[in-house]
Amino acid sequence: MSKIKNKFPVLTSLNGHHASILCVAFHPSAPILATGGYDNIIILWDTDSYQQVATLLGHATGVICLAFHPTAPLLVSGCYGGKMISFTTLQSR
């Protein structure tokens, strides 16, 4: 067993998806984490409070990639079905 595990304690566990999570992305300037998975949804999380902020819908197949724009309030997602969706995201607090 590796000793590395002891150096990285678990901060929290986020529960909200109904299937496997396939991708995650941190917002470049706001305390927001986006997660996407086989349940075809994207969940936005507040990384300060570890609470779910929003659920984004629109994909018919599993979400496999997420990327926040570095300066604009945009999140782009892609799915197994070949569809990309652009969402307007929350502004920095």
Side-chain angles (χ1 to χ4, degrees):
M1 175 106 17
S2 172
K3 293 182 182 180
I4 294 176
K5 287 184 180 180
N6 295 335
K7 295 180 182 180
F8 299 99
V10 174
L11 295 176
T12 190
S13 184
L14 304 175
N15 297 304
H17 284 277
H18 305 290
S20 298
I21 295 169
L22 299 172
C23 52
V24 299
F26 281 98
H27 191 282
S29 61
I32 298 172
L33 171 70
T35 57
Y38 273 125
D39 54 5
N40 311 342
I41 64 172
I42 298 162
I43 298 178
L44 298 182
W45 305 89
D46 181 314
T47 58
D48 288 337
S49 67
Y50 303 113
Q51 297 297 310
Q52 188 172 328
V53 175
T55 300
L56 307 178
L57 306 174
H59 286 290
T61 57
V63 179
I64 57 172
C65 58
L66 295 166
F68 282 101
H69 189 283
T71 57
L74 296 174
L75 171 68
V76 177
S77 60
C79 70
Y80 277 116
K83 183 177 185 179
M84 288 178 53
I85 299 177
S86 180
F87 297 94
T88 300
T89 60
L90 302 172
Q91 296 292 324
S92 298
R93 296 186 234 186

